[in-house]
Amino acid sequence: GKTYLAGAAAVAALKRGDVARILLSRPAVEAGEALGFLPGDLTQKILPYLRPLNDAIASLASAPERDAWNAKGMIEIAPLAYMRGRTVEDAFMVLDEAQNVTREQMLMFLTRLGRGSRMVVAGDLGQVDLPRGVTSGLREAAKVLENVKGVGIVRLAPLDVIRHEVVTRIVEAYGAYEEKRKAEKEKAKQEK
């Protein structure tokens, strides 16, 4: 859902000529599994992390369009770690899996926005893979930027899941379970 929508918005902006290129970025955080050494150059190393964004773009643009964009450098893959010091102009910037960025990384990425650029930051606060005790930069940014002019925050609900219908029910079940766990913890805390 989130990643697909971000990719769709980026492709639409590029096709309309609103921007000259798409920049895709994502933190290199594994989901609880260490992948070890990845062979290849920098782009080849980050590609597995950006597969969901590439899949979204592939479903919205023809192979010849994508090939032409890639040949002209109109789709850039930029590891989050290499964004510092840049100002990105005339681009549609997408930061995916933003729940796994620190507050410092989030501020750094948000401040890369240059003239003529647009930005989508997508993430799921229910899937944070940061080490225990590290606050998600997405969680903090949602609070800090809530009333900032020019910034919009969209929160998707389980009904917004566009995968298989059972996925919506799975998401709802986990949400209910977490609410129950929180209530039980709070009750136990109050009883002490």
Side-chain angles (χ1 to χ4, degrees), residues 106-172:
M106 179 63 76
L107 180 59
M108 181 269 297
F109 186 80
L110 294 173
T111 58
R112 304 305 92 199
L113 189 67
R115 287 187 179 89
S117 288
R118 296 170 182 181
M119 181 183 290
V120 170
V121 175
D124 182 344
L125 290 172
Q127 297 181 6
V128 176
D129 296 312
L130 291 168
R132 192 166 267 208
V134 177
T135 301
S136 167
L138 179 61
R139 184 180 311 281
E140 184 177 81
K143 291 176 187 171
V144 171
L145 303 175
E146 196 161 27
N147 296 310
V148 172
K149 184 179 178 181
V151 174
I153 298 173
V154 177
R155 291 180 174 87
L156 301 178
L159 292 174
D160 297 312
V161 173
I162 58 171
R163 294 185 177 111
H164 192 284
E165 64 188 40
V166 81
V167 174
T168 301
R169 294 194 295 269
I170 290 169
V171 170
E172 289 172 340

Side-chain angles (χ1 to χ4, degrees), residues 182-192:
K182 285 180 188 175
E184 288 171 354
K185 280 184 180 179
E186 190 59 37
K187 183 179 178 183
K189 198 178 195 182
Q190 291 174 354
E191 289 175 354
K192 286 185 178 184

Side-chain angles (χ1 to χ4, degrees), residues 49-68:
Y49 294 98
L50 291 165
R51 184 81 252 164
L53 278 166
N54 283 326
D55 289 347
I57 291 171
S59 73
L60 298 162
S62 69
E65 281 177 310
R66 293 189 317 272
D67 290 344

Side-chain angles (χ1 to χ4, degrees), residues 89-102:
E89 296 186 345
D90 201 23
F92 196 107
M93 303 169 65
V94 177
L95 174 59
D96 195 29
E97 295 295 324
Q99 75 274 8
N100 290 323
V101 302
T102 65

